[in-house]
Amino acid sequence: MKNGQFLRENLQGDRLALTGAGVWTAADARALEAQIDRLGRSHPAVKSVTIDMAPVERLDTFGAWLLERLVRAFEARGGKVEVTGLKADYRGLIDEMRAVKLDDLDRRRGGTPLSYALSSIGENIVSVGHSFVAIVNMFGALVTAILRVLKRPLSFRMTSLIHQVDMVAWRAVPIVLLITFLIGCIIAQQGLFHFRKFGADVYVVDMVGILVLRELGVLIVCIMVAGRSGSAYTAELGSMKMREEIDALQTMGFDPIEVLVLPRILALIIGVPILTFIGSMAALYGGGLVCWLYGGIAPDIFLSRLKESIALNTFEVGMIKAPFMALVIGVVACVEGLAVKGSAESLGRQTTASVVEAIFLVIVMDGLFAIFFASIGM
Amino acid sequence: MAAATNGGREVVIEARGVEVGFGDRLVLKGADLDVYRGEILGFVGGSGAGKSVLMRTIIGLIKKRSGTIKVFGSDLDALGDDERRAIERRWGVLFQQGALFSSLTVMENLQFTVRENLKLPQRLMDELAVAKLEMVGLDASVCRKYPSELSGGMTKRVSLARALALDPEIVFLDEPTSGLDPIGAGDFDTLIATLQRTLGLTVYMVTHDLDSLSTVCDRIAVLFDGKVIAAGTMETMLKSEHPWMKEYFRGKRARAAMGARAAALPASSG
């Protein structure tokens, strides 16, 4: 940039005369700003400034604002500023700029990175508290909805429930079968590989049986369901919330919890145990297959070994956990869905939160169940 | 660019024989329209007549089947990508629903095009965003809000501020006052007129609002059956004997809206 391109200076004692030139528009705003800021800092002793804008050919908001900034810079130091020669067309624009108040803007910039970091930690902790309260609220609302439905069983949305069971359970069967089958195979293969070193091949059957039935079957299925159906619930309810459909339901005298949330959560409570059962069987099948093909343990030996190593309660432990996990996934998904605000980004954020929270809570619950079953001797 | 002139006034948008269709339905059947520099043009027509379609065709969101559109004297079809983008930077659009980016704050919405096009320092962009907000009658306190936290009227104002972000020469407004209460709509009309004077804008306004038409518009163009059947001042519109225009400008609602002005003319028989 050529010096003095936009403003020519003429300093006489404590009086500064500036003469504008050229085109003061958005395209040159960068260069203009550099010159304006340099001018604003120089000439500290100046008492009075005149700015002749007559030679300036064109002025837009960008130019007008920068002129205003220059005027404010001089005024802040106690100088007297006079702008002359302004075309009548630009009078209104300059007046608009005069009226601009930047107070709020400056206050916003006040924070230091440290205070920002601390405040964001605080905000996050508060929001964890809020989502805990929201989950408890949802449990309460769910229980009242169930009581209401029990009083008037005909008002229950059976069609919706069946549709949801179809979506979350029936349509999830292929992917659940595939993934649990593969997990079963992998556990058996790893077990065989390491147990073989000390001749304990046959205990792989015990390991696969107990691990799959007690823990892995239900965990894998719950993680799958949280990612597959929990996210779908959040997105569905969230977009309904965004388009005020939920408000519409409410004004028509329907309880959104009863109409939308209850069938979804019941569908999960029905679906997840079924999927857990199917998934556990698929994992055992995969484990058995690998034991036979890779470990040389014939299917009849695998089965008789399995019968010895597991009891009915091993199976029960996994199955008892399933509906509770389903409840947690469903409640979290619905709470997050109903927490969506107007924007598309909020929908995305809540969906992510729903999946992450659900998986986290499922694993925490699994830990609590482990302690519980251990202490009652199951 | 040699811009065409007509009777001494510079024509900034010149549409000739624009045909636009969807499937086998022809919406615009050869529409002709001139928009002069520095005027506020109100564009009216029945619902579904294709008012927004012509606007969207001019700004390039809808492809036309035939016809030419010249903006600032250059034929938009004949331009390369860079030239076209340069023209696009000289206009701003206010969409009917605002079309603010929902994942960005008001401040970021206003700075979006500036950031992409001008590479200015953050401080200047912040200050200008506040200046633009004040020009549309808001203040710095809405800067950090997200579009979902704004009321309908505020959304329109922020969208208008965004349309003005690069100091365009033309602004296209798609039903700017729809969804606002009469007072809000009146304020918005005044705002448009003020900004038009302050910034020397050319305003192309698609509207249904008879109040806007009679108070702020310099000229009105009427779209009927895929063609622009009339363009001129409100007085010309009121004198027209075309049945649809008679109904539109001199019907029951119009008489109520325009009161004295319509009463001064011979009453409509229909």
Side-chain angles (χ1 to χ4, degrees):
Chain A
M1 158 213 141
K2 208 167 85 242
N3 236 4
Q5 194 183 354
F6 300 104
L7 279 165
R8 269 187 297 277
E9 306 165 35
N10 183 8
L11 186 65
Q12 291 172 327
D14 59 358
R15 297 161 64 101
L16 178 67
L18 296 170
T19 313
V23 179
W24 288 31
T25 55
D28 299 312
R30 206 184 163 83
L32 179 62
E33 189 199 22
Q35 205 192 346
I36 295 267
D37 281 355
R38 194 177 49 72
L39 257 175
R41 282 192 301 271
S42 56
H43 309 302
V46 164
K47 287 277 185 300
S48 115
V49 183
T50 54
I51 306 172
D52 180 13
M53 292 295 287
V56 172
E57 290 163 38
R58 225 145 46 84
L59 191 70
D60 65 2
T61 328
F62 292 77
W65 170 251
L66 287 168
L67 174 64
E68 174 62 21
R69 197 199 263 182
L70 183 65
V71 171
R72 286 185 189 192
F74 282 122
E75 281 176 349
R77 301 197 311 230
K80 257 179 57 96
V81 187
E82 198 188 339
V83 180
T84 57
L86 216 58
K87 291 196 187 81
D89 296 0
Y90 298 138
R91 215 38 290 168
L93 186 57
I94 297 291
D95 291 344
E96 287 277 357
M97 293 299 132
R98 284 256 67 163
V100 170
K101 287 186 284 295
L102 290 174
D103 309 351
D104 289 339
L105 191 65
D106 292 339
R107 209 179 310 134
R108 183 176 66 98
R109 289 226 211 88
T112 63
L114 181 68
S115 72
Y116 177 75
L118 287 177
S119 75
S120 86
I121 292 173
E123 278 165 22
N124 276 318
I125 290 174
V126 170
S127 82
V128 169
H130 282 318
S131 60
F132 179 74
V133 171
I135 289 173
V136 173
N137 263 336
M138 178 59 85
F139 270 118
L142 211 56
V143 170
T144 45
I146 290 171
L147 292 178
R148 253 200 316 271
V149 167
L150 286 179
K151 224 162 45 180
R152 292 177 296 127
L154 282 179
S155 73
F156 183 66
R157 324 241 131 212
M158 196 46 111
T159 324
S160 171
L161 175 69
I162 288 165
H163 171 72
Q164 294 298 339
V165 170
D166 175 50
M167 297 298 285
V168 303
W170 178 240
R171 284 170 202 236
V173 168
I175 188 70
V176 163
L177 275 179
L178 180 67
I179 285 185
T180 48
F181 171 79
L182 289 175
I183 295 277
C185 292
I186 293 163
I187 295 169
Q189 189 272 336
Q190 286 293 308
L192 283 166
F193 185 79
H194 292 282
F195 282 18
R196 190 176 282 162
K197 288 179 194 157
F198 37 94
D201 298 29
V202 83
Y203 287 103
V204 167
V205 183
D206 299 51
M207 185 187 74
V208 170
I210 293 171
L211 204 54
V212 163
L213 291 180
R214 275 189 85 107
E215 301 292 337
L216 278 185
V218 65
L219 268 186
I220 298 290
V221 165
C222 284
I223 291 170
M224 284 291 301
V225 167
R228 194 181 166 278
S229 311
S231 60
Y233 283 5
T234 309
E236 281 165 18
L237 293 178
S239 57
M240 290 180 80
K241 180 86 188 293
M242 271 165 70
R243 290 194 232 134
E244 300 178 319
E245 289 172 42
I246 289 179
D247 299 341
L249 263 180
Q250 215 146 17
T251 56
M252 293 172 195
F254 295 101
D255 176 17
I257 304 288
E258 198 180 313
V259 177
L260 299 171
V261 175
L262 188 60
R264 283 182 164 76
I265 291 181
L266 281 183
L268 277 184
I269 292 176
I270 296 169
V272 170
I274 297 173
L275 289 175
T276 302
F277 177 75
I278 295 173
S280 303
M281 294 306 119
L284 287 180
Y285 182 77
L289 209 59
V290 168
C291 283
W292 182 28
L293 299 175
Y294 179 79
I297 302 170
D300 52 337
I301 300 173
F302 181 87
L303 281 178
S304 66
R305 184 73 214 159
L306 193 64
K307 254 184 248 166
E308 283 170 38
S309 65
I310 60 171
L312 188 63
N313 71 2
T314 320
F315 171 71
E316 280 170 359
V317 165
M319 294 305 289
I320 288 171
K321 287 193 273 192
F324 292 97
M325 306 269 195
L327 181 65
V328 167
I329 295 170
V331 167
V332 167
C334 294
V335 166
E336 294 296 341
L338 295 177
V340 167
K341 308 243 159 41
S343 71
E345 197 206 13
S346 147
L347 181 61
R349 205 169 37 224
Q350 300 299 343
T351 310
T352 310
S354 151
V355 175
V356 172
E357 259 175 56
I359 292 177
F360 170 76
L361 285 177
V362 159
I363 291 171
V364 169
M365 289 251 302
D366 197 48
L368 293 177
F369 269 116
I371 298 168
F372 171 72
F373 286 128
S375 55
I376 64 165
M378 250 175 113
Chain B
M1 277 182 293
T5 54
N6 186 343
R9 302 182 70 186
E10 185 190 345
V11 178
V12 287
I13 301 173
E14 183 188 328
R16 287 289 175 272
V18 176
E19 281 188 14
V20 176
F22 302 107
D24 49 8
R25 198 171 78 90
L26 210 53
V27 178
L28 296 181
K29 303 167 185 167
D32 300 332
L33 182 69
D34 284 334
V35 181
Y36 302 111
R37 184 176 286 281
E39 73 172 351
I40 301 184
L41 178 86
F43 198 68
V44 301
S47 292
K51 302 184 299 294
S52 297
V53 173
L54 181 58
M55 186 190 110
R56 293 171 83 88
T57 309
I58 295 172
I59 58 182
L61 292 175
I62 297 177
K63 289 237 179 315
K64 59 185 181 305
R65 291 194 179 159
S66 65
T68 55
I69 293 174
K70 287 185 183 173
V71 177
F72 303 120
S74 29
D75 187 347
L76 291 182
D77 298 322
L79 294 178
D81 279 353
D82 288 345
E83 292 154 314
R84 196 185 156 83
R85 217 157 289 137
I87 297 254
E88 281 170 357
R89 243 172 269 163
R90 294 167 69 186
W91 71 49
V93 184
L94 167 66
F95 288 95
Q96 201 172 346
Q97 311 291 340
L100 292 173
F101 304 122
S102 62
S103 57
L104 302 181
T105 61
V106 166
M107 185 74 122
E108 290 161 340
N109 262 291
L110 295 181
Q111 293 172 352
F112 188 78
T113 44
V114 183
R115 196 187 300 277
E116 298 302 313
N117 284 309
L118 294 177
K119 311 261 181 302
L120 295 179
Q122 186 65 40
R123 174 174 164 222
L124 181 58
M125 289 199 297
D126 285 354
E127 289 171 353
L128 276 164
V130 175
K132 294 270 152 83
L133 281 176
E134 298 214 347
M135 287 170 84
V136 297
L138 298 169
D139 60 39
S141 62
V142 298
C143 275
R144 294 177 72 190
K145 291 206 164 112
Y146 283 91
S148 56
E149 298 166 311
L150 302 176
S151 71
M154 281 158 90
T155 304
K156 295 261 181 189
R157 283 167 191 264
V158 173
S159 316
L160 182 62
R162 187 181 69 175
L164 297 174
L166 282 176
D167 272 56
E169 292 162 52
I170 308 176
V171 282
F172 292 93
L173 311 174
D174 193 357
E175 309 219 4
T177 53
S178 74
L180 298 183
D181 66 83
I183 301 173
D187 289 347
F188 204 81
D189 284 339
T190 319
L191 174 66
I192 291 167
T194 314
L195 287 174
Q196 190 274 330
R197 271 199 307 279
T198 319
L199 300 171
L201 296 169
T202 304
V203 179
Y204 179 113
M205 175 156 76
V206 172
T207 188
H208 265 310
D209 191 332
L210 280 161
D211 289 315
S212 307
L213 290 171
S214 65
T215 52
V216 296
C217 292
D218 300 318
R219 269 189 340 126
I220 296 165
V222 183
L223 185 74
F224 183 78
D225 192 29
K227 288 188 174 136
V228 178
I229 52 168
T233 59
M234 185 51 111
E235 276 65 35
T236 329
M237 298 296 124
L238 290 171
K239 280 179 200 137
S240 166
E241 287 304 316
H242 187 282
W244 189 85
M245 285 169 66
K246 235 159 94 174
E247 180 63 29
Y248 191 95
F249 291 103
R250 280 142 68 188
K252 209 189 285 167
R253 285 178 65 100
R255 275 204 301 275
M258 286 182 287
R261 211 161 166 183
L265 285 140
S268 155
S269 51

